[in-house]
Amino acid sequence: MEPLGAVLAFCVPMSEGAPAPRDVVAAYIEAHNRQDIAAVARLIAANARFGISDEIDSGEVVVGRYRDIVYKNFPKAHTEPLDQLTYGDMVAQTERVTGIGPDGEIGMTVYRVVRGCIIDLTISHSPDGED
């Protein structure tokens, strides 16, 4: 497998005119739902910290998993933002994820966005869809 860095242009923090963190998160969700791996990579710093199920990976590893596992095995995967709270460079939102199992998942994702790049993302989803 070819390293993603050789294939995709990862997010490079902007020095001026960066979009609001909530707009970056909305663009990420939209790109993720389209399964547009190049657009996802442009919004996530390659060295971003991703915490999923007590596991921490880099942005490059997570984007590779999206490309090689999630998008291939779950072509109907869809994330729907429900409620959102923003504070400075942080965006926390509840999300409903469908298309990955019989009941879907509901949980909380917390994003940290710096100068137009997602640099930290922590996901806490409930597999049975309960709060």
Side-chain angles (χ1 to χ4, degrees):
M1 176 174 75
E2 189 173 6
L4 283 177
V7 178
L8 302 172
F10 277 86
C11 190
V12 176
M14 306 166 120
S15 59
E16 292 182 28
R22 71 174 175 266
D23 295 337
V24 173
V25 170
Y28 164 77
I29 296 294
E30 184 179 303
H32 185 52
N33 285 341
R34 285 193 323 266
Q35 298 192 2
D36 183 343
I37 196 70
V40 167
R42 285 191 300 270
L43 295 164
I44 298 172
N47 63 345
R49 254 177 66 100
F50 271 64
I52 303 171
S53 302
D54 299 328
E55 189 177 312
I56 297 178
D57 288 313
S58 71
E60 187 169 8
V61 167
V62 170
V63 170
R65 286 186 183 152
Y66 286 164
R67 180 189 67 185
D68 298 333
I69 299 169
V70 177
Y71 296 161
K72 286 183 181 177
N73 294 315
F74 304 102
K76 294 183 181 182
H78 181 83
T79 298
E80 174 190 1
L82 301 173
D83 295 311
Q84 186 182 84
L85 174 67
T86 61
Y87 183 76
D89 63 1
M90 305 291 288
V91 177
Q93 67 184 19
T94 54
E95 299 170 343
R96 176 179 291 117
V97 180
T98 57
I100 60 171
D103 298 326
E105 297 181 358
I106 295 177
M108 173 71 75
T109 304
V110 178
Y111 303 83
R112 181 163 180 237
V113 180
V114 174
R115 298 187 331 250
C117 292
I118 296 171
I119 65 162
D120 195 81
L121 187 150
T122 303
I123 299 173
S124 176
H125 282 167
S126 170
D128 59 6
E130 295 183 14
D131 297 330

